[in-house]
Amino acid sequence: MTGLQAGLKNRHLSMIAIGGVIGAGLFVGSSSGIATAGPGILLSYALVGTLVVLVMRMLGEMSAANPTSGSFSAHADRALGRWAGFSIGWLYWFFWVVVLAVEATAGAKILEGWIPAVPQWGWALIVMVVLTATNLVSVGSYGEFEFWFAGIKVVAIGAFIVVGALAVAGVLPGVDSDKAGLGNLTEHGGFLPHGPGAILTGVLLVVFSFMGSEIATLAAGESEDPQRAVTKSTNSIIWRIAVFYLGSILVVVSLLPWNDPSIKEKGSYVAALDSLGIAHAGQIMNVIVLTSVLSCLNSGLYTASRMAFSLGERGDAPKAFARTTSRGVPLAAIVASVVFGFVAVFFNYRFPDSVFLFLVNSSGAVALFVWLVICFSQLRMRRIIQAEAPEKLVVRMWLYPYLTWATAALIVFVLGYMLTDTEHDGRETVLLSLLVAAVVLVVALVREKVRGGRTAAGAASVEARDEVRAG
């Protein structure tokens, strides 16, 4: 057993950090958010973006002081107790294996459209097998794939923002952009056509497209300079969210009126490109969405396997999960994650409206649970680091502890607001996620009690043996 190896180069980690915040959800899910909140969806993205920046700052503080493949699960284990690390680790693993199925299906749909001879389930299988092989070779091959996947996403969104901004300014040559202009932000029923309440509904629709920001802190444990990598990715998240999310969505709602039917029919980015008369806009976007899907699959498999590895190391998962090959790859952890991913893909094709819908909804609020646990872990961990090794506090949470408490309160408020949302399945998502979280938590507490009982019994038998010897 060789343990994980530092196979990720700094350029890999930089691109993983940038690409981590650009999920396929940004391209696919933004149209429903725009339809719900109008141009005010920008405020929804800004609100969730601020939340992510604050949570990542807390996670950065803990991970720079102690880089580990278990990231927030390992921090929660130390700061809050074994039950917390166990629960949040397994919930996060569950979230990503369900994401594997969602993304594999999304990618298969695009590929089937190009080559119909291969059925959709066949494409899902091919995509999963190829990326599993990539992850099994070495962490370096995962990093290399992710470097190029993320690079394509970054270049594509950058180009989209530049072209769109030129069209909005009316200086893009040879393009008919008669609908474009900043007037679209206020002219069609106002900036908030459905009222201020729509901002919060928009939050519920966009919050899940931000999941993945934390991947860089998990990957840091396998990088050349973990502390530097975490510090860099934490410090750069503000501009990443501002440019890729707020910048690109601002371009979309400026190029087209928010209520243009094409946004819902084609998707927001395709509709925006089509409005400029750019040839083959739909296919160009499909290539970019497919790249995002493959990137998300690649990272999802990596993330799930490293969380399983960390749980195995801490005795919260089968010991086999913590064993690595000579190349530093946790083979059993990867295979177990892929198997559950395949099972979820099967459910998607066999029981899409029952079992698979339950899986998706019951993992839906896990992002918010993870962020909440990060808040409470950081409150405790700051005191531990200050007492033991204050020189390791190279990244510090702003206005500690007030901003940490305010962030936790905002997350609880969003969860509470979701319970009132029956139109977009918000209530069902929270209740099912809470049900799964409660089951995992009960397992964690029972394990702790059993383990505590065994420890006490072991100590008693040693004491009795010593007494007999002494007697």
Side-chain angles (χ1 to χ4, degrees), residues 37 192-199:
L192 292 168
H194 298 144
I199 297 170

Side-chain angles (χ1 to χ4, degrees), residues 336-353:
S337 303
V338 172
V339 166
F340 275 88
F342 276 131
V343 169
V345 169
F346 167 75
F347 285 142
N348 191 12
Y349 291 111
R350 192 75 186 82
F351 313 105
D353 298 322

Side-chain angles (χ1 to χ4, degrees), residues 284-461:
I284 293 168
M285 213 61 226
N286 270 341
V287 171
I288 296 163
V289 171
L290 180 63
T291 306
S292 290
V293 163
L294 295 175
S295 166
C296 198
L297 259 173
N298 196 32
S299 287
L301 183 51
Y302 171 82
T303 307
S305 65
R306 288 334 187 253
M307 187 55 78
F309 169 84
S310 177
L311 288 164
E313 261 195 330
R314 288 177 273 144
D316 290 336
K319 280 271 184 279
F321 285 8
R323 291 197 195 105
T324 56
T325 64
S326 58
R327 291 169 176 264
V329 172
L331 181 69
I334 291 175
V335 171
S337 303
V338 172
V339 166
F340 275 88
F342 276 131
V343 169
V345 169
F346 167 75
F347 285 142
N348 191 12
Y349 291 111
R350 192 75 186 82
F351 313 105
D353 298 322
S354 52
V355 182
F356 189 68
L357 197 64
F358 168 80
L359 287 175
V360 171
N361 283 339
S362 61
S363 66
V366 166
L368 292 163
F369 296 165
V370 166
W371 296 347
L372 201 55
V373 167
I374 289 171
C375 291
F376 292 128
S377 299
Q378 190 264 339
L379 284 168
R380 178 94 182 77
M381 192 61 97
R382 165 67 79 91
R383 295 200 293 271
I384 294 173
I385 299 168
Q386 276 180 326
E388 292 179 2
E391 72 282 356
K392 287 187 175 180
L393 275 172
V394 289
V395 176
R396 286 174 180 264
M397 176 58 184
W398 307 295
L399 297 176
Y400 168 85
Y402 310 108
L403 209 44
T404 304
W405 280 112
T407 307
L410 183 57
I411 296 167
V412 171
F413 173 74
V414 170
L415 283 166
Y417 186 77
M418 283 177 82
L419 288 171
T420 68
D421 173 51
T422 49
E423 192 184 340
H424 303 99
D425 299 328
R427 177 184 290 176
E428 192 180 358
T429 297
V430 171
L431 291 175
L432 287 176
S433 296
L434 282 171
L435 172 68
V436 171
V439 170
V440 175
L441 191 56
V442 166
V443 171
L445 293 172
V446 168
R447 271 175 57 91
E448 203 152 299
K449 195 156 192 179
V450 168
R451 189 174 275 158
R454 278 189 197 146
T455 307
S461 67

